[in-house]
Structures are given as C-alpha cells and as structure tokens.
Amino acid sequence: MSTENLPQSPEQPPRKPRVAVVFGGRSSEHGISVVTAGAVLKAIDRTKYDVLPIGITQDGRWALTADEPERMAITDRRTPNVTELAESHEGGVVLPVDPANREVVYSEPGSVPKALGEVDVVFPVLHGPYGEDGTLQGLLELSGVPYVGSGVLASAVGQDKEYMKRVFTSFGLKVGPYVVIRPREWERDESAARKKIVDFAGEHGWPLFVKPARAGSSIGITKVDDLSGLDEAIAEAQRHDPKILVEAALRGREIECGVLEFEDGPRASVPAEIPPPQEHAYYDFEAKYIDSTPGIVPAPLTPEETAEVQKLAVEAFDAASCEGLVRADFFLTEDGEFVINEINTLPGFTPISMYPQMWEKSGISYPELVSRLIEAALRRSTGLR
C-alpha cells in the first residue's frame, strides 16, 4: 500500500532551552539578589527561552516562585525577599543529582512530587556566600547542569577577598595594603588580633576600611577614622563573616570595568567612574542601591588610561580563571597607577548596576547581555574544562 497520500504528522517544533533563574539565598545580600532576579526575568527573551524562577529563602529552602518581576523591586527603601514571593511556604524544589537526568521536581508534604520539566541552564543571580562562592556551582557540576558565570574555583576566589588578592599578586597585578584577621586568631587572643590592626594603622595611617572577607554589595563595611571606631567596625564585619579584612585607604578615583566572555575570549567594556557620594562617607550599600548614586559612564579617562584598565580587567579575569562575566574594581591613584581592589564574579545586575550600564555604553543592551550570558553557558560543558 502506498503511503504517498496519507496525512503526514507535523514535525514538532524544537523545544526552547529552559532557563532556571535561581535567586535569593542565605547571605546578607538576599534582597539585592531578588531585585537582580526581577530585572533578569524581565529581560530574558521569552521567544528564545522558557523560564523557571526558583527562589532560595533565607533559611535555605528552594521555593517555586511566581514569574512576576514587578514584585521584585525595592519599595519604600526596602528590598524584597523570597518568602514573600514563594507559591507555598512548605513546598520545595529539588534539582537532579544525576547528570543523565535534568528533571526538576517540586514536592509538598503529603503530596505526590510533581515534575517541573528539564532545565537546560541555570542563571544564578545569588550574591555572597551559599551561591556566589562556588557552593551552588559545585552542586550544578555534580548535577551536570550548565550555568552562567564562573566555576567552583574562580567563584570561591572571587568571594574570598584575601585569596583573591593573593592570586592577583601572584600574577603581577598590584593590590593595596591589607591585613586579615582569621576567626582562630580572634578566638585565640583577641587583644593580639586587635593589636595587629592597630599596628597596621600605625604603618599605613587612618582611615581604614574594615570589612567582611567574604561578603559583597558593600554590606558590613565600615570606614574607620580613628581608634575610637575600631571595635564597633570589627563587630559589624564579624556579623557577616568571622574572617575580616582591613584595608588601607587609597587616595584616588574609583574606576570599574566589565568583562564579558565572547566566542573568541573575554573582552572589556568601557570603564566607569564612581564619584564620591554626596550624602555618604563612601560608596556603601545605601549609596549603591537605595539612593542609587549614579556612576559616570564612560569614565573620563585618557585613551591610554582606558586601554590600560581594560587590559588589567581582562588580566584579572584570566588570573582567577573566570568565565562568563566579571566586574573588576580599581583605584586610579594620584600618581597615575591602577590598583585592583576586587573582582565580582556575579556583579550587581539590576538595570542601574554598573556592569550592565558599562556594556550598554559599549553597544550591548541589557536584554542582549542576558542572552549572551545564557548562550555562553550553553556552549560550555560542566566538569573539567
């Protein structure tokens, strides 16, 4: 029998890649992570990708949340949180641990677990410990699920400011003077640990910046002008991290530069300058996110200075074995030298954040930037690379 005139079954259209946007988390940067997720969810091209929003509450529960970016904004100087957005206060999302199975499952007590479908790539917008520091990246490596951004090592190095500086120094990048107080030092002899900081101040002068060694978004940082404010600054830093970092103040301009991974390797954006905020002692959390102190993009640098900071930003990206994206922060000192302060492997990604603004001025819009990061993650395999 001829099949020539039989009706042909239409071909199924190819499935769109499914992106899980994971946000929130257990760190003190939980709220800013939710704000970032709202911006990313709004920008993802829904004609190219299916999207699954997954929020992690502050106590570590993975929650299924509504795909409602408008609810993820700062309101009345208050950041949102995952608990407010969760579809259930008891249910939990579970990622696969079998690399051959990318099916995400949702379960509630007393109910049959429900399959949510396969995830092709994770877009983590977690900031700080338990997400940006290599912990989530390790879980995704075990699961065999590609993800946006750096791997385990680079994420850990990018989170720990002490080891970040050690890596940069070993690659010939100049860093400013600093001293680290580890938890055991403080527990063993508190007065000796405090004296270590006082001696550092005697050598490098006041003011000092006392900060958590493994936090971001300028949370927990205090500018200390003299000895009277030191104990309070130490206590504030230790609220966020038992290991603290103390840095000497550098006289100069704050310059930032974005790095993005293209098909042929990393490239740097136009740089930006962070002017001294008018109503804040320095560029702290309130200045960044609540009062939205504007940066200057592009930074008013000479062509030679621009080329130099772009070169150094890419060198920092390579030194820490980064992937996907990085924001590199520098000081341009009064004698014309660039000193790297830190890198951020998952930088602030709200529309007002400096990283997307720098790429906007470099010719890549926010939605295109999100697409490029997803495509770069889909090109990479998990595992050793």
Side-chain angles (χ1 to χ4, degrees):
M1 176 180 173
S2 172
T3 60
E4 186 175 312
N5 296 319
L6 292 178
Q8 303 295 309
S9 59
E11 288 188 15
Q12 292 294 319
R15 183 175 68 84
K16 291 185 288 188
R18 198 144 190 250
V19 182
V21 177
V22 180
F23 60 96
R26 294 163 56 191
S27 83
S28 52
E29 298 173 76
H30 177 101
I32 288 304
S33 173
V34 178
V35 175
T36 297
V40 170
L41 287 169
K42 193 179 294 184
I44 288 180
D45 186 346
R46 304 306 176 101
T47 66
K48 292 173 62 176
Y49 309 107
D50 286 328
V51 178
L52 177 66
I54 299 174
I56 302 177
T57 64
Q58 287 172 302
D59 60 4
R61 181 173 64 90
W62 289 50
L64 190 62
T65 68
D67 187 1
E68 298 176 1
E70 64 278 1
R71 295 174 59 196
M72 302 179 183
I74 294 173
T75 306
D76 298 327
R77 303 178 70 85
R78 178 180 167 275
T79 57
N81 67 73
V82 168
T83 301
E84 298 168 344
L85 301 165
E87 293 192 348
S88 165
H89 295 299
E90 294 184 324
V93 175
V94 180
L95 286 182
V97 292
D98 179 0
N101 172 26
R102 293 183 180 176
E103 187 99 320
V104 175
V105 174
Y106 176 75
S107 63
E108 291 190 18
S111 300
V112 176
K114 180 173 66 175
L116 299 177
E118 291 189 353
V119 165
D120 298 288
V121 62
V122 169
F123 198 132
V125 290
L126 296 151
H127 302 307
Y130 312 110
E132 187 181 351
D133 59 351
T135 49
L136 176 66
Q137 290 74 14
L139 173 63
L140 296 173
E141 292 285 350
L142 289 172
S143 303
V145 179
Y147 52 92
V148 169
S150 291
V152 175
L153 174 65
S155 298
V157 168
Q159 187 65 42
D160 191 309
K161 294 177 177 64
E162 176 195 0
Y163 287 99
M164 180 198 308
K165 290 176 187 293
R166 289 180 181 274
V167 167
F168 289 157
T169 301
S170 73
F171 277 82
L173 293 164
K174 185 172 180 59
V175 304
Y178 69 97
V179 66
V180 175
I181 306 296
R182 294 183 175 84
R184 287 177 186 169
E185 291 180 80
W186 196 259
E187 293 162 5
R188 187 168 53 240
D189 191 336
E190 186 175 315
S191 61
R194 189 176 184 278
K195 182 178 184 300
K196 186 175 173 181
I197 300 174
V198 173
D199 290 346
F200 179 79
E203 181 180 355
H204 297 285
W206 303 91
L208 301 176
F209 286 89
V210 179
K211 56 180 68 174
R214 295 163 291 191
S217 297
S218 299
I219 289 174
I221 299 177
T222 306
K223 181 182 179 183
V224 183
D225 293 312
D226 54 44
L227 196 59
S228 64
L230 183 58
D231 289 343
E232 186 178 345
I234 292 170
E236 172 61 16
Q238 289 176 330
R239 278 202 321 115
H240 303 275
D241 187 348
K243 181 165 88 165
I244 65 172
L245 183 84
V246 181
E247 294 175 334
L250 293 176
R251 307 293 192 273
R253 299 159 63 188
E254 289 191 51
I255 305 294
E256 298 185 349
C257 193
V259 180
L260 178 65
E261 183 180 357
F262 287 74
E263 291 84 345
D264 60 351
R267 301 183 204 169
S269 69
V270 299
E273 179 168 3
I274 309 300
Q278 297 299 310
E279 298 180 7
H280 300 267
Y282 61 98
Y283 193 48
D284 61 5
F285 179 86
E286 295 274 325
K288 279 183 181 179
Y289 295 108
I290 305 300
D291 296 324
S292 303
T293 301
I296 303 169
V297 191
L301 301 171
T302 67
E304 294 76 18
E305 289 170 335
T306 295
E308 176 68 8
V309 76
Q310 289 174 324
K311 178 179 78 72
L312 292 172
V314 171
E315 287 181 5
F317 183 95
D318 285 336
S321 298
C322 296
E323 295 168 292
L325 72 163
V326 149
R327 193 195 70 233
D329 301 345
F330 297 85
F331 290 103
L332 177 55
T333 62
E334 293 172 347
D335 59 4
E337 184 174 35
F338 282 104
V339 176
I340 189 163
N341 184 39
E342 65 181 38
I343 58 170
N344 198 313
T345 56
L346 283 174
F349 216 85
T350 69
I352 64 166
S353 297
M354 296 312 301
Y355 185 84
Q357 283 194 57
M358 289 186 285
W359 281 109
E360 180 86 37
K361 292 295 185 179
S362 303
I364 297 178
S365 69
Y366 190 99
E368 183 185 352
L369 185 58
V370 169
S371 290
R372 281 183 175 273
L373 288 167
I374 293 171
E375 292 302 319
L378 286 168
R379 285 195 302 269
R380 290 196 305 266
S381 62
T382 53
L384 298 177
R385 52 190 183 273

